[in-house]
Amino acid sequence: MNDNERRLVVIGAGGHGKVVAEAAQLSGQFDEVVFYDASWPERSTHGPWLIVGRPEDLLAPGVHPCVAVVAIGAQAVRVRLTDGLRRAGHTLATVIHPRAAVSPRARLGSGTAVLAGAVVNIDAELGAACIVNTGVTIDHDCRLGDGVHVSPGAHLAGNVQVGEQSWIGTGGVIIPGIQVGARAVVGAGAVVIRNVADDTTVVGNPARILEKTSC
Ligand code: JB2
């Protein structure tokens, strides 16, 4: 591994950025972490880390390749920037907190972060740019599309499928075998016992449709 691979660029100097930066550093995979954020140069630090540029600096033609992860909660922004970095020739890091338990037979996409206390069980398959947040459980054979965010303390039972860019709220529960569509939202604390269509928000226990978000 060369020096370039031991340095992680984190895109997004917000709350999620510091959680991802700390997880990456604690994992021992990286010696140095720096941020790129739209607030640079007005801001030059984020906690103990330096902010050294703006995200678009990394998308310019001919830029020196780096190892990066997009740590922005907003799904569409995270996916767009992750795709842009990949097209610009950068390597997308998969960040796993050292106190997460990830099955060696789980498959994680590039740019995905698995945070403290999370469990990802055998034969689960996660796409790119996902967030498996603090204390989440993803049981065996689950399938998550690109850009899914599973918020702190949510639990996905076995064989659950979640479509791209969907958001499972804090403490949400999804029973075995349920299919959640793309760009869906499961409200905080919801208990999902029926399939959820694309672009749909569900809330409550048992979860019921709150709104369709597309026309
Ligand atoms: O469209 C964008 C954009 N939107 C936000 N383009 C670019 N280039 N950057 C964007 N950002 C950057 O992401 C902002 O400059 C800001 O510094 C950062 C977002 O920080 P914020 O603290 O607002 O949110 P976050 O994404 O770190 O955290 C949210 O998501 C987490 C998963 C919060 O809801 C957290 O509570 C949550 N844990």
Side-chain angles (χ1 to χ4, degrees), residues 12-17 37-38 43 55 71-73 77 80-81 131 133 149:
H16 186 53
D37 191 83
R43 288 171 65 208
I72 294 175
V77 177
R80 177 170 51 77
L81 286 173
I131 304 172
N133 223 316
H149 177 192

Side-chain angles (χ1 to χ4, degrees), residues 45-58:
T45 60
H46 189 40
W49 299 283
L50 294 177
I51 305 172
V52 298
R54 300 169 68 86
E56 54 267 33
D57 299 342
L58 295 169

Side-chain angles (χ1 to χ4, degrees), residues 113-133:
V114 182
L115 300 176
V119 176
V120 181
N121 272 345
I122 184 164
D123 291 333
E125 190 171 339
L126 281 57
C130 291
I131 304 172
V132 179
N133 223 316

Side-chain angles (χ1 to χ4, degrees), residues 21-214:
E22 187 177 62
Q25 217 147 33
L26 290 173
S27 74
Q29 199 184 339
F30 301 99
D31 296 330
E32 186 188 5
V33 173
V34 295
F35 278 89
Y36 279 66
D37 191 83
S39 62
W40 186 86
E42 287 77 23
R43 288 171 65 208
S44 59
T45 60
H46 189 40
W49 299 283
L50 294 177
I51 305 172
V52 298
R54 300 169 68 86
E56 54 267 33
D57 299 342
L58 295 169
L59 304 179
V63 68
H64 190 66
C66 67
V67 178
V69 63
V70 182
I72 294 175
Q75 258 78 292
V77 177
R78 193 170 67 256
V79 168
R80 177 170 51 77
L81 286 173
T82 298
D83 286 347
L85 289 167
R86 193 179 289 115
R87 280 197 301 274
H90 303 292
T91 300
L92 273 302
T94 301
V95 173
I96 302 176
H97 191 285
R99 285 183 294 286
V102 177
S103 163
R105 286 189 39 141
R107 293 180 293 282
L108 306 183
S110 57
T112 283
V114 182
L115 300 176
V119 176
V120 181
N121 272 345
I122 184 164
D123 291 333
E125 190 171 339
L126 281 57
C130 291
I131 304 172
V132 179
N133 223 316
T134 311
V136 160
T137 63
I138 310 268
D139 208 348
H140 65 88
D141 300 294
C142 283
R143 298 275 179 278
L144 273 57
D146 293 346
V148 169
H149 177 192
V150 188
S151 297
H155 300 294
L156 275 54
N159 287 302
V160 164
Q161 296 184 26
V162 182
E164 62 178 15
Q165 296 186 40
S166 286
W167 182 9
I168 314 302
T170 302
V173 171
I174 307 182
I175 69 166
I178 291 291
Q179 297 182 11
V180 175
R183 300 167 305 280
V185 177
V186 171
V191 178
V192 180
I193 61 171
R194 292 185 194 88
N195 291 348
V196 177
D198 294 351
D199 304 296
T200 301
T201 297
V202 298
V203 297
N205 177 8
R208 296 181 195 285
I209 295 174
L210 181 65
E211 61 186 11
K212 286 286 276 182
T213 53
S214 68

